[in-house]
Amino acid sequence: MTARPGVAVLTGSSSGIGAEAAVQLGRRGWTVCLLARRADELAAVAQRVREAGGTAHVHPVDLTDDADVRSVVDVLLAEHPRIDVLVNNAARSIRRPIRESVDRLHDYERTMAVNYLGAVRLTLALLPRLLEQERVDGSRGHVVFSSTMSTQLPIPLFSAYLGSKAALESFARSLLAEHGHDGVTTTVVHFPMVRTPMSGATAIYAAMPMMSPDKAGGWLVRAAVDRPTRVTSLGGAVSEAGMSVLPGVLTKVVTPGIRRMDRRLARRTRDD
Ligand SMILES: NC(=O)c1ccc[n+]([C@@H]2O[C@H](COP(=O)([O-])OP(=O)(O)OC[C@H]3O[C@@H](n4cnc5c(N)ncnc54)[C@H](OP(=O)(O)O)[C@@H]3O)[C@@H](O)[C@H]2O)c1
């Protein structure tokens, strides 16, 4: 199914993949509601959306704050009789070994607060409208969830981040199972590494080849427009299949390779 240009609510659109997706949706004539905390950055992205031919609305919000989200949702519902697509893209990442996290439960709490609960909070608040609009005019709402290829592979050092993304994927699966037939479909997007402020926070990744934010933004647009259940790389899909059949073997094979790659990247970063 390919959606006509409509209204998209896009979280995490003040930078990185979300900002590029917003501009590309604007180019296709969509109305984009931009959500993130930093108002100035959102205003700059809104300007790019308008220059690309779209319509943009700026909604500064902290997705971990119930009252903040409630008041943005009230505005969204009042201003848009129909919301075609919600893209849950906002997130924070933490790279830290579990051994160094024994006194840092808050790492797990703060990743869950944004990546999982922030997305669930907004989805629950918009769900009644998404279901109602199906009954009124048959237009089906769609919810996109930004996740990562790292939930498809045995990846070390990101346990807090990956736990929150795995929970998010599970929520997406439940939402589709409960409402795929009567109003709301979902897409989970498994991004590989993308050159954004998030990946830039880890110094050794400067030397790693990565997808451009523009191309990654295109993955979100595909999710919003074509509405597949999943967007993934071939490598991610193959490894996911491998993990479901031989998780122990694949973990033994893959993780030493990742440790070697990290050491190589660290050497290259020092030499540059
Ligand atoms: N970059 C990668 O390599 C990569 C790989 C796999 C998956 N992903 C996923 O792709 C998505 C986009 O990531 P990105 O790389 O584009 O990262 P990014 O540039 O750091 O963007 C993260 C976005 O989330 C927003 N955000 C963070 N905390 C928030 C909060 N409490 N309330 C509202 N908004 C909040 C940030 O805006 P404010 O700071 O203005 O609030 C920002 O717009 C994420 O879901 C990420 O997990 C990224």
Side-chain angles (χ1 to χ4, degrees), residues 11-18 35-38 61-64 88-92 114 146-149 161 165 191-199 210:
T11 74
S13 41
S14 60
S15 73
I17 301 168
L35 276 61
R37 289 167 301 181
R38 291 168 296 166
V61 60
D62 183 343
L63 290 166
T64 67
N88 285 304
N89 171 71
R92 69 180 305 157
V114 183
S146 284
S147 191
T148 163
M149 183 180 177
Y161 174 69
K165 290 296 190 183
F191 290 113
M193 293 298 288
V194 183
R195 186 74 62 206
T196 68
M198 182 180 282
S199 54
M210 288 189 198

Side-chain angles (χ1 to χ4, degrees), residues 113-129:
V114 183
N115 305 1
Y116 177 64
L117 291 173
V120 171
R121 178 177 288 117
L122 186 59
T123 306
L124 295 180
L126 292 176
L127 186 63
R129 167 62 64 81

Side-chain angles (χ1 to χ4, degrees), residues 69-83:
V69 171
R70 191 64 254 171
S71 47
V72 164
V73 165
D74 287 345
V75 174
L76 290 172
L77 294 178
E79 290 184 352
H80 305 285
R82 215 180 68 222
I83 291 168

